[in-house]
Amino acid sequence: MRPEQNPDVIVVADAGELARTAAERMLARLPPSDGHLAVCLAGGSTPERLYRLLATSPYRDAVPWEQIRWFWGDDRFVPENDPRSNAGVARRLLLNRVPVPAGSICPIPRAENVVEAAHLYELELRRYYGAERLLPERPLFDMVLMGLGADGHTASLFPGRPELEEKTQWVVGVPKPGLEPFVPRVTLTFPALASTREMLFLVSGAAKRDVLGRVLSGADLPAARAYADGELVWLVDQAAAPSPSALPATQERADTSARAAPSPPSVIVVMGVSGAGKSTIAAMLAHRLGWTFEDADWFHPPGNIEKMRSGQPLTDEDRLAWLQGIAVWIGATRKEGGHAVIACSALKRAYRDILVDGRHDVRFVYLTGDRDLIALRFNLRHGHFMPAALLDSQFATLEEPGEDEHAVVVQIDAHPRDIVETAVAELGTVRFAARAS
Ligand code: 6PG
């Protein structure tokens, strides 16, 4: 990817959710209009679910099929009725099942050899685009789908191959692929793939986890070199999502700079150790502002709840699924223009980074206070004593928010009403106060 381009990484629960989210993004990118739209499809098995889904209601009825031209980012050099053909798969699962005009489907043509096929496809793309040079302000595609191979390849751009360096041609032949199936291929080059309003990578399954971690941390792999003139989005499912320690260095860097100045919040996370009164304060704050209230406990996947019930401590890995779920909810809330307050312990910096995900308007209210007071409050509220070991472990885990996180720090010895008013005042701006009234 371009050094200055930080991708959006969206983590969803599973392969089904991945297909659904991708379908929704496609709908958003392909609004019915008078003009032409162009989609560049990916090969491999991951997008198959998406293709099937798009052929069914409600997507089938919502996609403006007559307006879209369908291209491919790469294909294997085999006839379309060969099961290895990317175009063949997309036709069988999607394009043959929806009202697409025949002339709108533009597979990579058959020719004497891959070099000739690449040349013909490039001519076709240039004809469609209507110019010799790709202009960033007028992208060739509206949506480009991409996959990730176990060796870090994407489209048919394999590690160590000269095609990675191609800057002028839009399409090239790949006589020897680096991975199965070992048939020659034709692929679009990085500059041609980049000419899109959105490049959407789809990555699913535990087998992709390591390579995805490496790609997102900027390792020199082909998929890490992909960029887009428009948005670059990595849509990944939980199984493929790298662990927090493998979080992209580039994203961490982006987060730091994103936090250079505090923004008016869209989502407020009320954080602190168990017993600090997060739920009470978050609920009161939400009420005060007229915002939605949520409790992070409700986001635990069933496996975590089971573990907690049986008294087993959650690992960082268990927490990752939970935090990513909350981060997705935060994203959805912001996208709808909504505002919310959520109670969430968010004890470690790495956890908070997942929740914030570079978004300036996700802000923390950190409830802090004397250890004895916290224990006392807990005991009063729950009618039993908090085991000392639990409180110990909460304080041991706690990493107080750093200055660059711009958390509002509030002492819990004040009356809850005053705690809420302090938080409102310190987070506040005109916009914030106006929404509150
Ligand atoms: C191809 C591809 C290729 C693919 C990845 C991921 O034709 O092989 O377009 O880049 O997207 O290899 O494939 P899977 O989705 O099958 O893992």
Side-chain angles (χ1 to χ4, degrees):
M1 61 195 84
R2 276 178 185 165
E4 73 273 21
Q5 189 166 26
N6 285 309
D8 272 346
V9 182
I10 302 174
V11 183
V12 294
D14 52 28
E17 219 18 52
L18 188 94
R20 206 189 55 75
T21 310
E24 294 290 339
R25 291 193 77 89
M26 287 186 76
L27 271 190
R29 280 285 166 204
L30 305 167
S33 70
D34 296 338
H36 291 292
L37 298 163
V39 174
C40 181
L41 296 174
S45 56
T46 309
E48 290 182 3
R49 233 183 154 118
L50 166 66
Y51 297 160
R52 282 200 189 88
L53 186 65
L54 287 170
T56 58
S57 189
Y59 303 104
R60 192 196 143 86
D61 313 316
V63 174
W65 302 107
E66 297 75 36
Q67 288 160 31
I68 305 173
R69 288 278 193 123
W70 301 89
F71 296 94
W72 275 262
D74 73 318
D75 211 340
R76 294 90 183 257
F77 201 58
V78 292
E80 265 192 30
N81 59 7
D82 183 306
R84 295 168 298 184
S85 159
N86 290 339
V89 168
R91 276 197 205 259
R92 279 192 297 283
L93 302 182
L94 173 61
L95 300 172
N96 290 349
R97 302 178 181 198
V98 291
V100 176
S104 308
I105 302 176
C106 313
I108 293 170
R110 296 287 294 157
E112 279 283 294
N113 54 51
V114 287
V115 176
E116 179 63 12
H119 176 67
L120 293 175
Y121 205 43
E122 177 153 340
L123 289 180
E124 185 165 353
L125 283 165
R126 283 182 195 270
R127 237 191 337 267
Y128 171 73
Y129 186 66
E132 287 295 298
R133 222 164 48 84
L134 292 165
L135 304 169
E137 61 279 14
R138 186 169 73 81
L140 171 59
F141 302 114
D142 292 281
M143 178 72 119
V144 169
L145 297 180
M146 300 279 263
L148 173 65
D151 59 351
H153 82 265
T154 188
S156 282
L157 296 159
F158 293 93
R161 296 279 317 170
E163 297 85 33
L164 299 180
E165 310 302 333
E166 184 55 55
K167 299 282 185 298
T168 44
Q169 291 188 62
W170 296 11
V171 192
V172 290
V174 183
K176 278 203 177 96
L179 214 66
E180 282 185 315
F182 292 105
V183 285
R185 304 178 181 213
V186 175
T187 188
L188 267 62
T189 57
F190 285 125
L193 291 163
S195 185
T196 178
R197 294 187 202 285
E198 176 170 334
M199 177 179 283
L200 182 63
F201 274 88
L202 303 179
V203 190
S204 171
K208 299 285 173 70
R209 193 173 187 167
D210 286 349
V211 68
L212 179 60
R214 288 164 61 214
V215 167
L216 291 178
S217 357
D220 187 16
L221 291 169
R225 294 195 187 193
Y227 63 96
D229 289 334
E231 260 190 89
L232 174 61
V233 181
W234 283 81
L235 181 58
V236 311
D237 68 9
Q238 207 83 253
S243 65
S245 56
L247 269 183
T250 49
Q251 255 200 267
E252 271 168 5
R253 275 202 297 278
D255 287 351
T256 315
S257 62
R259 292 176 191 199
S263 288
S266 294
V267 173
I268 300 170
V269 182
V270 178
M271 61 161 289
V273 297
S274 210
K278 296 182 294 287
S279 302
T280 309
I281 299 299
M284 285 176 66
L285 184 57
H287 182 72
R288 159 76 172 78
L289 298 169
W291 292 8
T292 305
F293 165 68
E294 286 284 348
D295 197 306
D297 283 349
W298 302 332
F299 286 80
H300 276 293
N304 285 7
I305 294 172
E306 217 28 67
K307 258 188 150 173
M308 290 189 285
R309 254 198 211 122
S310 63
Q312 293 176 61
L314 294 183
T315 61
D316 263 3
E317 189 133 33
D318 300 326
R319 288 204 181 91
L320 177 66
W322 168 61
L323 292 162
Q324 284 170 336
I326 300 171
V328 168
W329 166 79
I330 290 175
T333 303
R334 291 167 76 247
K335 202 168 159 204
E336 289 161 5
H339 290 77
V341 183
I342 182 164
C344 176
S345 49
L347 295 183
K348 288 190 187 177
R349 169 72 188 238
Y351 301 167
R352 295 191 292 275
D353 282 347
I354 294 172
L355 299 177
V356 171
D357 198 19
R359 302 173 283 208
H360 306 224
D361 56 352
V362 180
R363 301 279 308 277
F364 292 94
V365 171
Y366 168 42
L367 301 182
T368 181
D370 181 71
R371 190 195 152 100
D372 291 342
L373 179 60
I374 289 175
L376 180 72
R377 289 265 170 89
F378 180 94
N379 302 340
L380 285 176
R381 197 149 40 87
H382 296 272
H384 62 85
F385 289 99
M386 170 160 23
L390 173 61
L391 197 55
D392 284 345
S393 87
Q394 290 272 302
F395 276 100
T397 311
L398 175 66
E399 291 166 13
E400 296 200 309
E403 247 178 60
D404 62 320
E405 294 182 79
H406 302 292
V408 169
V409 183
V410 192
Q411 295 292 328
I412 60 158
D413 51 3
H415 189 284
R417 252 196 333 263
D418 298 329
I419 294 179
V420 167
E421 288 313 314
T422 307
V424 169
E426 288 199 31
L427 287 165
T429 66
V430 175
R431 181 185 127 197
F432 183 64
R435 283 182 197 279
S437 60

